[in-house]
Amino acid sequence: AFKKRGGKLVLWHGWSDPHISPLNSIAYAQAVTDRLGASSRDMLRLFLIPGMYHCGGGDGLASVDALTPLVAWVEGGDAPDSLIAL
């Protein structure tokens, strides 16, 4: 239903998250792909951030801008292939 309504989801997860394993986000993205097939790329992008903790901080990138690429995807159809570190 989310995809049929034109929904777009940019998901990111820090590889160094001490609270929630990044494997959970990988499993979620895989479950969506298993259900929708290759068309899941029309609505879901997953980015794994080296060194990032839970939603920010850590020894790697401190934060990322996921909103700007999401807006560009929703409003202009330009799906993100990367996120920009802040």
Side-chain angles (χ1 to χ4, degrees):
F2 178 75
K3 183 178 180 295
K4 285 181 183 178
R5 289 191 310 267
K8 307 290 186 212
L9 178 62
V10 173
L11 231 177
W12 77 96
H13 203 121
W15 269 119
S16 297
D17 188 333
H19 304 294
I20 301 170
S21 171
L23 298 178
N24 290 331
S25 292
I26 294 168
Y28 175 77
Q30 185 61 54
V32 171
T33 299
D34 290 347
R35 175 100 182 205
L36 300 178
S39 72
S40 67
R41 294 280 297 159
D42 297 340
M43 52 85 57
L44 172 68
R45 292 291 195 276
L46 170 63
F47 300 95
L48 300 166
I49 314 295
M52 182 181 276
Y53 293 159
H54 188 75
C55 297
D59 296 327
L61 306 173
S63 62
V64 296
D65 176 15
L67 182 58
T68 300
L70 178 61
V71 169
W73 193 10
V74 170
E75 294 180 354
D78 187 22
D81 290 321
S82 62
L83 296 179
I84 303 298
L86 301 175

